[in-house]
Amino acid sequence: MFHGNVSLEIAEGLKVLRRRIDAARIPASKLDETLNIATWNIRDFGKKRRSQAAIHYIAEIIGQFDLVGIVETRDDLTDLTRVLPILGPYWDVVYSDAILDAGGNRERIVYVFDGRVVAFNGLAAEASPPRRKSGTEYLPAESWWRAPYVASFKSGNFDFVAFTTHVRWGDSTAARTAELQGLANWLGAKMAERHKEDADILVMGDFNIPSLKSPMFAALTSTGLQLPAALAKGSFGSNLARNKRYDQILHFARYPENFSNAGGVLDFFASDHRPLFPDLTKDAFTYQLSDHLPLWIQIRTDIDGAQLDQLIQRKRAGR
């Protein structure tokens, strides 16, 4: 991390933040063996210029992981460009275009990743709802307020596709559930494609799902998405009160056991924002850091053993 000659206040805040990070017990990743991935809704990131302290704190949090899918990044990327130099010269970024209408909220999706651990693998595209022919035109059959952003990555000998989205809030839970079902259908169809980019898809973002027992979660997982075992344990949430599971990391995986190593939330709030921003109200604090906590998981990327096990099983079965 390259914090440089920061002020006394920022240095003291970073010490507090690091103690809160330590409490999350995020295991260190090991090159070519494990990968730490997070999803984080950074509230209105780029809408209004953040303080220098916030930029350093955001960089410190992102730097605990190897790849972070960020939602609610706005069209102005100035604050993102302030964060990257603090992370260091080996960090890189891939991001979508902004959606400028009210439903899109001028948002884009960003993948920030440590190039020493993760390599961008070539695919970067927005996912679109399926189309139906109407007269001579092909029009979307349903509405997603914000297009998910799909990108492929490689870590060690583990290739995967990341799918990140920010699902509508809106006034209608029925419309939100329908959008979640549409995303699940798209992902199920992607897995059935003969020429899909990869068999490992990591699905993450802010799905605005209040609980794992909600019909919304049932809709999202209706076509086979699985919740990693490490994130199924406990009843923690990803909002500051830790009682709502708005954010999710799920997967289609060839080797599900590789997704059960460790996971949870990084609670930078710890029920008291004042040690980080003593002069701000709690609401103002959420526009400096966020009203969401990063949700994270560690993945085992050394899949040689699992591949050999599958090969042995096929050979013994005569296939």
Side-chain angles (χ1 to χ4, degrees):
M1 205 71 63
F2 295 81
H3 288 294
N5 186 22
V6 296
S7 68
L8 173 62
E9 292 76 16
I10 293 175
E12 290 176 337
L14 284 168
K15 291 288 288 186
V16 172
L17 180 59
R18 286 178 177 182
R19 288 195 292 271
R20 295 178 176 185
I21 289 170
D22 289 343
R25 298 181 179 178
I26 304 167
S29 59
K30 297 180 181 179
L31 187 64
D32 295 337
E33 293 184 22
T34 60
L35 179 68
N36 290 343
I37 290 181
T39 181
W40 190 14
N41 178 328
I42 304 180
R43 189 174 195 179
D44 280 334
F45 189 37
K47 182 178 181 180
K48 183 179 179 181
R49 184 179 177 88
R50 275 167 160 80
S51 68
Q52 192 64 16
I55 294 299
H56 281 274
Y57 298 160
I58 289 169
E60 185 70 22
I61 291 167
I62 290 174
Q64 306 309 308
F65 309 104
D66 304 311
L67 183 148
V68 182
I70 302 172
V71 302
E72 216 166 290
T73 304
R74 302 294 290 262
D75 49 340
D76 186 345
L77 293 172
T78 302
D79 276 354
L80 177 64
T81 63
R82 295 169 66 200
V83 166
L84 290 172
I86 301 171
L87 289 167
Y90 30 78
W91 281 76
D92 210 341
V93 62
V94 178
Y95 51 83
S96 68
D97 198 5
I99 305 172
L100 302 181
D101 58 33
N105 195 37
R106 308 190 77 87
E107 292 181 25
R108 58 174 94 234
I109 289 168
V110 174
Y111 294 108
V112 185
F113 56 97
D114 185 341
R116 297 171 299 179
V117 184
V118 184
F120 174 59
N121 218 17
L123 170 70
E126 291 185 346
S128 300
R131 301 186 303 175
R132 294 176 183 163
K133 189 174 184 181
S134 177
T136 59
E137 300 301 320
Y138 291 83
L139 304 175
E142 53 197 83
S143 172
W144 302 344
W145 278 13
R146 307 173 187 104
Y149 194 47
V150 184
S152 59
F153 297 95
K154 182 179 181 69
S155 179
N157 60 359
F158 178 66
D159 298 270
F160 64 98
V161 171
F163 174 105
T164 298
T165 191
H166 185 192
V167 170
R168 75 176 72 192
W169 180 256
D171 298 324
S172 168
T173 56
R176 197 187 323 159
T177 303
E179 182 170 314
L180 288 161
Q181 185 64 62
L183 294 172
N185 294 342
W186 188 97
L187 287 158
K190 173 60 71 175
M191 287 302 296
E193 284 184 8
R194 181 180 177 187
H195 299 295
K196 57 182 175 288
E197 290 77 13
D198 201 276
D200 293 296
I201 300 182
L202 195 67
V203 176
M204 54 189 179
D206 179 1
F207 294 89
N208 278 312
I209 294 173
S211 165
L212 300 184
K213 298 179 181 179
S214 165
M216 298 179 192
F217 186 76
L220 181 60
T221 55
S222 62
T223 60
L225 271 176
Q226 300 176 39
L227 184 68
L231 298 182
K233 296 180 290 187
S235 57
F236 62 87
S238 59
N239 59 329
L240 297 189
R242 298 186 61 163
N243 60 1
K244 302 291 185 184
R245 194 62 171 269
Y246 294 134
D247 304 279
Q248 304 290 337
I249 300 177
L250 306 109
H251 62 75
F252 290 108
R254 289 175 293 169
Y255 315 112
E257 63 276 7
N258 281 26
F259 287 77
S260 60
N261 204 32
V265 294
L266 190 165
D267 190 352
F268 54 78
F269 174 57
S271 301
D272 189 1
H273 69 280
R274 289 167 296 181
L276 299 177
F277 293 97
D279 299 325
L280 296 184
T281 65
K282 178 183 173 182
D283 184 64
F285 161 82
T286 67
Y287 288 96
Q288 289 296 312
L289 281 185
S290 186
D291 54 348
H292 288 244
L293 306 173
L295 180 72
W296 64 272
I297 186 169
Q298 184 174 87
I299 300 171
R300 290 189 288 270
T301 58
D302 184 359
I303 61 174
D304 283 347
Q307 289 176 327
L308 289 172
D309 288 343
Q310 286 194 355
L311 177 62
I312 290 168
Q313 290 172 3
R314 288 198 303 269
K315 294 295 184 181
R316 284 178 175 171
R319 299 198 299 269

